[in-house]
Amino acid sequence: QVQLVESGGGSVQAGGSLRLSCAASGSTISRNCVGWFRQVPGKERERVASIYTLNGGTYYADSVKGRFTISRDNAKNTVFLQMNSLKPEDTAMYYCAARSSFRSCGLRQPEEYDYWGQGTQVTVSS
């Protein structure tokens, strides 16, 4: 069983940066698809980015391409989301999620993930 804990959220002005962390415990995530999602009240959970931690392959939603970077540190069992050039529309609760080991990656739908964190709030003011 994998437990995920997000951190690094906060409030920034437009154009600023934040780095989110997703720390795993209970099992390694060094061979998993790990994704970041975001959600605002009343809307569906949106795919942001994902990484296949075994080989480092990355996938991004068009809305964040060129501004966000997903990465991993397998030694620390942690996945990161570096967010630059933040916009007010990036304001949301951000969640990380992991699929079971060796399952394929890409921009998967939320229901295709097996483990979820509790989320960290990101607020971008104009």
Side-chain angles (χ1 to χ4, degrees):
Q1 190 78 2
V2 176
Q3 291 82 44
L4 302 173
V5 177
E6 302 95 334
S7 62
S11 297
V12 295
Q13 290 192 328
S17 298
L18 284 172
R19 188 192 196 206
L20 305 184
S21 298
C22 173
S25 61
S27 181
T28 180
I29 56 167
S30 62
R31 47 189 183 239
N32 299 71
C33 181
V34 179
W36 284 97
F37 294 79
R38 62 188 183 188
Q39 189 171 25
V40 297
K43 291 193 175 182
E44 292 187 352
R45 197 162 289 192
E46 178 189 6
R47 298 168 294 180
V48 175
S50 58
I51 186 167
Y52 191 45
T53 56
L54 188 61
N55 61 13
T58 58
Y59 310 86
Y60 295 94
D62 288 343
S63 59
V64 306
K65 215 171 277 186
R67 300 188 298 123
F68 291 10
T69 302
I70 190 170
S71 62
R72 92 290 196 198
D73 184 334
N74 286 345
K76 295 182 178 179
N77 221 24
T78 301
V79 169
F80 304 97
L81 185 68
Q82 177 67 43
M83 305 186 296
N84 298 329
S85 302
L86 282 162
K87 304 175 182 180
E89 51 263 43
D90 294 318
T91 295
M93 183 72 79
Y94 282 71
Y95 299 90
C96 71
R99 304 192 80 200
S100 296
S101 298
F102 300 115
R103 298 187 73 184
S104 58
C105 209
L107 284 178
R108 299 283 177 175
Q109 296 289 348
E111 58 267 27
E112 297 182 271
Y113 284 78
D114 302 295
Y115 310 102
W116 287 86
Q118 294 300 307
T120 185
Q121 178 68 36
V122 171
T123 302
V124 185
S125 57
S126 57

